Amino acid sequence: QKEVEQNSGPLSVPEGAIASLNCTYSDRGSQSFFWYRQYSGKSPELIMSIYSNGDKEDGRFTAQLNKASQYVSLLIRDSQPSDSATYLCAANFGNEKLTFGTGTRLTIIP
Amino acid sequence: GAVVSQHPSRVICKSGTSVKIECRSLDFQATTMFWYRQFPKQSLMLMATSNEGSKATYEQGVEKDKFLINHASLTLSTLTVTSAHPEDSSFYICSAREASGVTDTQYFGPGTRLTVL
């Protein structure tokens, strides 16, 4: 069974601090990884995609991928209350479908 | 980024009626679209994979005769919930796959909230 695992949280972070979200996956052959943000009652929104080992930065967001450790993370710098949401980690295990983690609920405390 | 629309955003219907939900990729062609369902405070559940010009592939436990999927063009997939019952009330979300050689990404529509009375 190919799986993606996340800590369900809730994770509480003070406003302005760095929020760190983590995810592990079971298939060493996975090639592509995604972070989606889902606000309550809304559909998921793509935040970051990452395909290569290392860091990928986009504004306040940095995705980190370590294929040897089967680990992908998302860092949110200068956290804002509007970042409060559930963050979904997803992996493509090579069959066009995405396998999602259960999500980490993040709360930014003003 | 790529835009995916869904229509309607919200629908209320009587038990026993059928409801059709449309999913469109607005600025890219999607040979593959996906249909998900999400109950309150639960994870996304993949229902089926919709491929343009061919039959949909349903996940285990999803009734293909109840959830009819048609992917008639590269920008449109429809999900019809037939003979809906209150237990079908849920948040239905589609996604469209944009694959361009280097990248292979799914973009989600805004979702359709179905309430069956």
Side-chain angles (χ1 to χ4, degrees), chain A residues 71-86:
Chain A
Y71 174 94
V72 58
S73 65
L74 179 70
L75 301 178
I76 307 174
R77 288 182 298 283
D78 188 23
S79 297
Q80 302 296 310
S82 58
D83 295 326
S84 297
T86 296

Side-chain angles (χ1 to χ4, degrees), chain B residues 40-111:
Chain B
K41 299 191 186 303
Q42 293 189 22
S43 302
L44 284 172
M45 188 195 82
L46 179 65
M47 299 175 67
T49 301
S50 167
N51 292 295
E52 188 265 337
S54 64
K55 290 184 179 180
T57 303
Y58 290 82
E59 295 299 302
Q60 192 171 6
V62 178
E63 299 174 58
K64 63 181 171 112
D65 294 331
K66 180 169 183 64
F67 299 100
L68 302 179
I69 291 172
N70 185 284
H71 193 153
S73 78
L74 289 173
T75 58
L76 173 64
S77 176
T78 61
L79 168 69
T80 301
V81 183
T82 62
S83 186
H85 290 282
E87 58 266 28
D88 298 321
S89 298
S90 188
F91 190 38
Y92 291 85
I93 313 170
C94 73
S95 71
R97 179 186 179 209
E98 184 182 37
S100 60
V102 176
T103 62
D104 186 347
T105 307
Q106 281 189 36
Y107 296 94
F108 284 87

Side-chain angles (χ1 to χ4, degrees), chain A residues 2-41:
Chain A
K2 296 180 179 178
E3 296 181 334
V4 174
E5 295 195 3
Q6 293 180 255
N7 187 322
S8 62
L11 175 65
S12 296
V13 173
E15 182 175 357
I18 296 174
S20 178
L21 303 163
N22 304 312
C23 173
T24 58
Y25 57 94
S26 62
D27 182 10
R28 191 174 291 275
S30 301
Q31 296 298 317
S32 50
F33 305 88
F34 307 87
W35 283 99
Y36 289 86
R37 177 177 64 197
Q38 186 174 24
Y39 291 115
S40 180

